[in-house]
Amino acid sequence: MSKAGAFDLASGVGGKIDKTEVLSAVEKYEKYHVCYGGEEEERKANYTDMVNKYYDLVTSFYEFGWGESFHFAPRWKGESLQESIKRHEHFLALQLGLKSGQKVLDVGCGIGGPLREIARFSSTSVTGLNNNEYQITRGKELNRFAGVDKTCNFVKADFMKMPFPDNSFDAVYAIEATCHAPDAYGCYKEIYRVLKPGQCFAAYEWCLTDAFDPNNQEHKKIKAEIEIGDGLPDIRSTRKCLEALKQAGFEVIWEKDLAPDSPLPWYLPLDTSHFSLSSFRLTSVGRFVTRNMVKALEFVGLAPKGSQRVQDFLEKAAEGLVAGGRKEIFTPMYFFLARKPQHG
């Protein structure tokens, strides 16, 4: 039931933002970022506003091009993008050892694609935590359609200040979401608090690899493109994520960047030199069609003013992600499995 049509895309741009204010929201969002003179500290201080604006602006584009699960995945030859995404979610559920009837928390759940897949795969009850009202509204609609609305729910809250009692969940996971946190330690500490002792937290993190050189201008440009195109206050290194996990009190069972072992590059869906009928909307031709369609819909008033600007910074993000992947300075799949000690 993903929104598939051009008019769904047009009507969704801006999310809960008044359609007459989309352009000013785009301008304010852009000003947070380096390309427009923004500073990292300002992005971190205003991360709630920045990330909310980002997801109000881009969610309909994501769903139009990507489906219900907004994340990358390692991919085998002969495997479709959607198949790889589901396998990536199943892998995480298996690593957590999820069992029927358990209470699970999805931190930064988007519109709930992984939540629904993991709930059905593991027969668990999953709570999706999200601070964006538009995505929650859409997620509830999709939960009803999928028939999981009795066992799965959404809570609107900031993952730096979760509204749950201590030791509430049997397992916690995050899929390419806690990269939006202004402080990894603060976010992981909250996850530690709500997780039951002896239970596990697993995540796929967006990270800079050891190959990233902070003094290399091209590397800095790629980092800035990913930050503006994906609503990030900063991009942490894999080492910083690992340090923050341990500092929060977790025992790290294992951790690894899964990107180098992927038979097909994780960024292949965004690579303009690649063509795929199954992921046509993500190809260069598909993106050209979408760009002109959005331009036309904005011109005739069916899409709000500013829609084309959103498409532009998403294109910039795609360029940054592909460049970061090719140079191996960025990964969207730094995986870790960590346990809260039994005495925690």
Side-chain angles (χ1 to χ4, degrees):
M1 196 192 160
S2 287
K3 293 189 175 181
F7 292 105
D8 290 317
L9 169 61
S11 63
V13 174
K16 292 289 184 180
I17 299 171
D18 187 285
K19 299 307 178 190
T20 61
E21 296 174 5
V22 169
L23 181 58
S24 64
V26 173
E27 290 170 345
K28 186 171 180 186
Y29 171 76
E30 287 174 339
K31 284 175 183 172
Y32 279 123
H33 290 276
V34 172
C35 316
Y36 293 85
E39 298 288 339
E40 179 186 324
E41 288 312 311
E42 186 185 4
R43 291 195 297 279
K44 287 182 175 179
N46 297 284
Y47 75 95
T48 302
D49 180 66
M50 182 189 74
V51 175
N52 251 315
K53 277 189 171 57
Y54 175 76
Y55 279 112
D56 272 332
L57 294 169
V58 306
T59 294
S60 66
F61 280 96
Y62 272 24
E63 198 175 347
F64 180 77
W66 215 256
E68 294 176 24
S69 293
F70 307 158
H71 63 81
F72 293 98
R75 192 165 161 194
W76 291 93
K77 290 177 182 175
E79 187 176 43
S80 72
L81 175 62
Q82 291 306 317
E83 286 169 342
S84 71
I85 283 173
K86 286 189 176 185
R87 182 173 50 75
H88 203 43
E89 293 164 359
H90 294 173
F91 175 84
L92 186 145
L94 290 168
Q95 289 297 312
L96 283 168
L98 299 183
K99 296 178 179 63
S100 177
Q102 286 186 323
K103 282 180 62 182
V104 181
L105 179 65
D106 180 333
V107 178
C109 62
I111 60 172
L115 175 156
R116 287 181 288 279
E117 186 63 34
I118 287 172
R120 290 179 293 204
F121 179 73
S122 60
S123 299
T124 52
S125 172
V126 186
T127 295
L129 184 74
N130 191 327
N131 212 14
N132 183 270
E133 188 181 342
Y134 174 67
Q135 287 198 333
I136 288 178
T137 301
R138 182 72 184 124
K140 286 179 177 176
E141 183 184 350
L142 291 166
N143 275 11
R144 284 193 296 273
F145 184 78
V148 299
D149 52 313
K150 300 291 190 293
T151 55
C152 297
N153 68 312
F154 294 92
V155 172
K156 185 181 185 303
D158 183 347
F159 50 38
M160 303 298 288
K161 301 183 285 283
M162 298 188 201
F164 307 117
D166 295 356
N167 311 321
S168 293
F169 295 95
D170 299 301
V172 180
Y173 68 84
I175 300 179
E176 301 182 22
T178 46
C179 51
H180 292 293
D183 167 38
Y185 165 73
C187 182
Y188 295 163
K189 193 68 181 171
E190 266 297 87
I191 290 168
Y192 183 95
R193 182 183 67 77
V194 302
L195 183 62
K196 292 178 181 177
Q199 302 303 330
C200 291
F201 166 43
Y204 297 122
E205 281 282 11
W206 279 34
C207 289
L208 297 173
T209 70
D210 289 344
F212 177 80
D213 178 0
N215 298 312
N216 182 306
Q217 290 304 311
E218 186 181 9
H219 288 193
K220 287 166 70 176
K221 176 176 177 287
I222 290 168
K223 178 177 181 279
E225 286 175 346
I226 296 172
E227 286 168 351
I228 187 172
D230 295 283
L232 305 179
D234 187 23
I235 309 176
R236 291 177 277 275
S237 68
T238 54
R239 291 171 187 267
K240 286 213 173 138
C241 283
L242 189 58
E243 284 168 15
L245 262 181
K246 292 175 180 176
Q247 190 184 358
F250 284 104
E251 299 170 346
V252 179
I253 298 170
W254 74 281
E255 48 83 28
K256 185 180 182 181
D257 178 8
L258 303 182
D261 293 337
S262 178
L264 293 176
W266 60 265
Y267 54 82
L268 193 66
L270 300 177
D271 189 342
T272 53
S273 65
H274 172 71
F275 184 82
S276 166
L277 282 175
S278 64
S279 305
F280 175 75
R281 288 174 178 173
L282 297 172
T283 65
S284 57
V285 178
R287 278 148 64 177
F288 175 80
V289 171
T290 302
R291 192 181 311 117
N292 284 283
M293 177 187 72
V294 170
K295 190 175 181 180
L297 290 170
E298 185 174 331
F299 180 76
V300 299
L302 291 173
K305 289 190 183 305
S307 299
Q308 182 62 49
R309 291 267 287 275
V310 177
Q311 172 82 0
D312 288 344
F313 69 65
L314 288 175
E315 290 277 353
K316 188 63 71 180
E319 291 170 14
L321 288 164
V322 172
R326 281 190 177 142
K327 292 188 176 296
E328 299 181 348
I329 62 172
F330 169 82
T331 177
M333 52 190 74
Y334 174 58
F335 175 81
F336 57 75
L337 178 66
R339 182 188 293 115
K340 180 176 179 176
Q342 191 65 49
H343 56 77

